[in-house]
């Protein structure tokens, strides 16, 4: 039973356009959400996070939106750059320092 | 400042053998977590160590065990290897006070034949 779902295995976007990566979760106890980026032969790198008390968090070109009622979050990358091409993982955790639960990832390809 | 390091990079074993993977956390970090990432899947939590004790454990059998040393480095041991244990094993370190912000190493690719 997947508690964190990334239903799009891959996404292709043109350079300069917006990339939108989606993530759904089923566990209502999750209250902290993170996005990680992973390049081949490297470990996942923390990108941006959001607490359940917020509905938006922005860091440069990256913005994460959280819709608690829909149990849905999304990562927006504007503008997309070729260096953004990687696998993006959505992860969630609950209160009390519970372990991170990851989705299967979405492979983003930004085409020049 | 060195990040999280893992050794070895790659490893090939046969069914039934035992394997030990090693992890050195980022400088200043006191907590180490281990994850298994099978092909096409996201990382799956195995267990977490703090103060040389296993604090939390995911849904993995007892064949998976670990250890944390006084210098915060950690080992992951897997006994009686199965073909299904073939995966990328990731180590992540953090501060116990900032447990959600984890820094990952590059992983060890384990192949079981």
């Amino acid at each position: 039973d997947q508690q964190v779902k990334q239903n799009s295995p891959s996404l292709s976007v043109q350079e300069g356009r917006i990339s939108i990566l989606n993530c759904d979760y089923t566990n209502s106890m999750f209250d902290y959400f993170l996005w990680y980026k992973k390049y081949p032969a490297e470990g996942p790198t923390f990108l941006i996070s959001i607490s359940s008390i917020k509905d938006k968090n922005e860091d440069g070109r990256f913005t994460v939106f959280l819709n608690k009622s829909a149990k849905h979050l999304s990562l927006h990358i504007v503008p997309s750059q070729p260096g953004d091409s990687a696998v993006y993982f959505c992860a969630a955790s609950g209160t009390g320092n519970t372990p991170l639960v990851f989705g299967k990832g979405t492979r983003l390809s930004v085409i020049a | 400042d060195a990040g999280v390091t893992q050794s070895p990079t790659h490893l090939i074993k046969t069914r039934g053998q035992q394997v030990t993977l090693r992890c050195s956390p980022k400088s200043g970090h006191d907590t180490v977590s281990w994850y298994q990432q099978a092909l096409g899947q996201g990382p799956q939590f195995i267990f977490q160590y703090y103060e040389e004790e296993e604090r939390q454990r995911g849904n993995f059998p007892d064949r998976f065990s670990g250890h944390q040393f006084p210098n915060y480095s950690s080992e992951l041991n897997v006994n009686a290897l199965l073909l299904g244990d073939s995966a990328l094993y990731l180590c992540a370190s953090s501060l116990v006070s900032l447990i959600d912000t984890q820094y990952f190493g590059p992983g060890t690719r384990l192949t079981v034949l």
Side-chain angles (χ1 to χ4, degrees):
Chain A
D1 178 31
Q2 274 219 293
Q3 298 185 69
V4 177
K5 301 177 184 179
Q6 294 178 257
N7 292 320
S8 299
S10 63
L11 176 67
S12 188
V13 172
Q14 279 202 311
E15 181 180 5
R17 307 293 289 265
I18 184 172
S19 295
I20 301 176
L21 294 90
N22 294 303
C23 177
D24 298 295
Y25 61 96
T26 58
N27 190 337
S28 57
M29 299 302 290
F30 288 149
D31 64 355
Y32 194 69
F33 304 90
L34 308 90
W35 285 93
Y36 280 83
K37 178 170 70 173
K38 187 179 186 301
Y39 293 118
E42 294 183 13
T45 303
F46 171 75
L47 193 57
I48 192 169
S49 63
I50 188 167
S51 165
S52 60
I53 63 173
K54 293 186 171 183
D55 55 17
K56 176 182 174 182
N57 189 27
E58 193 170 353
D59 183 2
R61 296 186 298 113
F62 303 91
T63 303
V64 56
F65 296 92
L66 175 63
N67 182 335
K68 291 186 289 296
S69 61
K71 293 192 177 67
H72 176 84
L73 62 154
S74 60
L75 174 68
H76 293 210
I77 306 173
V78 182
S80 301
Q81 299 173 354
D84 296 329
S85 297
V87 177
Y88 289 77
F89 290 101
C90 172
S93 71
T95 52
N97 293 331
T98 57
L100 291 178
V101 179
F102 284 82
K104 290 187 177 182
T106 296
R107 181 177 300 278
L108 173 66
S109 298
V110 180
I111 304 164
Chain B
D1 177 27
V4 180
T5 60
Q6 293 186 242
S7 63
T9 306
H10 296 88
L11 204 50
I12 299 175
K13 293 285 189 178
T14 56
R15 281 182 300 174
Q17 285 189 311
Q18 179 265 341
V19 67
T20 297
L21 311 181
R22 295 177 176 82
C23 171
S24 291
K26 182 177 168 64
S27 178
H29 284 183
D30 56 12
T31 303
V32 173
S33 302
W34 286 92
Y35 293 82
Q36 180 195 67
Q37 186 181 6
L39 200 60
Q41 304 294 316
Q44 188 173 357
F45 176 76
I46 302 174
F47 43 54
Q48 183 182 86
Y49 277 84
Y50 171 67
E51 291 189 337
E52 303 179 48
E53 291 191 0
E54 183 183 291
R55 296 181 73 220
Q56 300 186 72
R57 188 179 183 92
N59 188 23
F60 279 81
D62 291 344
R63 298 186 298 109
F64 290 76
S65 63
H67 189 76
Q68 186 179 34
F69 299 94
N71 67 353
Y72 306 121
S73 66
S74 177
E75 289 182 349
L76 164 66
N77 301 290
V78 187
N79 294 322
L81 284 167
L82 304 174
L83 297 179
D85 295 332
S86 295
L88 179 68
Y89 287 85
L90 294 162
C91 169
S93 74
S94 56
L95 286 169
V96 69
S97 57
L98 294 170
I99 207 75
D100 294 320
T101 307
Q102 299 190 12
Y103 293 79
F104 283 83
T108 294
R109 173 73 61 187
L110 173 65
T111 302
V112 182
L113 302 176

